[in-house]
Amino acid sequence: MTEDGYLRGTFDDRHQTWDFVRSFVAAYSEPLRPGDGVDAARLDAVEARLGLVLPAALREAYLLFGERDDLTRRQDRLLPPDELHVDDASEALVFRRENQGCTRWGIRLADLERDRDDPPTVVEDRGRWVPFTDRLSILAAEMVLLEAMFSKDPARGLYDTTAFDWDEQGALLESRYEPLGLPGIPRWGAPDGRPIRWYQGPDVLIREDGGGVWLWVHGRTPAAVDAVRKVLPAFWQLVPD
């Protein structure tokens, strides 16, 4: 974290991505500590049960923060190791589920064979698996950003949300805030549409939902969130009384 409240990092490989995750969690939540990850023996047991080798990125994510519900299970759900499974069609290793069961995320078994380090991910769309992120570690980083935001008590004033019209305010958003650097993330309900993008300002992160429909703000302080409200006039949902 820089002195002016910005996160710095790159996402060129999974190791850089984990470095970013560590810096984000330290700045916006409680730093990662020993014990925040699952025991390696549980992952070994998964491999024995399923008869496959987990990709390095998935294993590392579980070892880093797999026991931190605030980073993995407040909105959608990273499956605990004993719930990892191969789908009924034997096409994908499933590791995450949407909170109402509307979709799942996984790794094609064929991709797992080709890339045992950081394979691409897929999402279930109308009964079929479609491409999601180019690397599993990118999905994991966006998951942590999102889940950490939803873990905040609304009464503390550390996040807010509003309907957002990209055509009217997209240029203002891009002129006042800096792209975080995370690659675009597809919307699971519209994987072929414009991707989700994250931006940042001093002590604040902004998630634009890609469809020009919704905006989320996560600040380190209530003042940082309020500053975004002033820059982007809108009907904010959680303005304090």
Side-chain angles (χ1 to χ4, degrees):
M1 194 84 178
T2 63
E3 291 183 359
D4 56 357
Y6 284 79
L7 290 168
R8 296 301 178 210
T10 55
F11 302 88
D12 294 336
D13 60 41
R14 71 182 198 276
H15 304 294
Q16 294 175 348
T17 302
W18 301 145
D19 287 342
F20 171 84
V21 167
R22 290 185 185 95
S23 64
F24 161 73
V25 175
Y28 281 78
S29 186
E30 294 294 325
L32 291 172
R33 297 184 174 91
D36 286 347
V38 305
D39 190 281
R42 294 179 63 192
L43 301 175
D44 295 340
V46 170
E47 293 181 336
R49 172 171 59 85
L50 297 179
L52 53 76
V53 177
L54 297 176
L58 186 61
R59 190 177 185 95
E60 289 162 358
Y62 277 106
L63 292 172
L64 274 174
F65 48 75
E67 296 286 8
R68 286 279 297 268
D69 285 355
D70 62 316
L71 306 179
T72 58
R73 300 181 183 93
R74 285 290 188 248
Q75 172 67 14
D76 302 319
R77 186 168 180 264
L78 179 69
L79 299 182
D82 59 353
E83 294 183 26
L84 288 170
H85 63 279
V86 173
D87 71 321
D88 290 342
S90 297
E91 293 182 6
L93 172 65
V94 179
F95 62 85
R96 191 180 184 218
R97 185 181 298 276
E98 194 269 339
N99 72 90
Q100 296 182 10
C102 295
T103 195
R104 302 178 292 174
W105 289 267
I107 309 158
R108 291 186 190 275
L109 298 186
D111 289 333
L112 184 55
E113 287 296 320
R114 285 190 287 267
D115 184 351
R116 295 185 181 275
D117 291 330
D118 201 359
T121 65
V122 290
V123 66
E124 197 169 37
D125 180 42
R126 289 167 287 190
R128 61 194 180 93
W129 293 107
V130 299
F132 195 65
T133 58
D134 291 340
R135 304 200 320 269
L136 190 155
S137 60
I138 296 299
L139 183 155
E142 208 270 344
M143 172 186 71
V144 168
L145 290 168
L146 182 66
E147 301 297 325
M149 178 173 63
F150 281 116
S151 294
K152 301 302 180 185
D153 179 353
R156 294 181 60 198
L158 297 179
Y159 81 94
D160 206 345
T161 183
T162 184
F164 184 75
D165 189 320
W166 178 265
D167 291 335
E168 290 188 3
Q169 291 193 298
L172 179 59
L173 172 67
E174 291 194 317
S175 69
R176 294 296 298 272
Y177 296 99
E178 174 185 304
L180 187 60
L182 188 73
I185 306 293
R187 290 183 295 137
W188 64 260
D192 295 328
R194 197 173 79 246
I196 293 163
R197 295 286 184 183
W198 286 84
Y199 299 83
Q200 65 174 328
D203 293 324
V204 71
L205 298 175
I206 302 171
R207 184 185 197 258
E208 193 274 309
D209 269 358
V213 175
W214 218 251
L215 200 75
W216 300 88
V217 178
H218 182 191
R220 298 180 70 203
T221 66
V225 175
D226 198 47
V228 177
R229 296 189 186 109
K230 293 174 181 177
V231 171
L232 299 172
F235 179 72
W236 292 92
Q237 304 289 309
L238 301 173
V239 177
D241 295 331

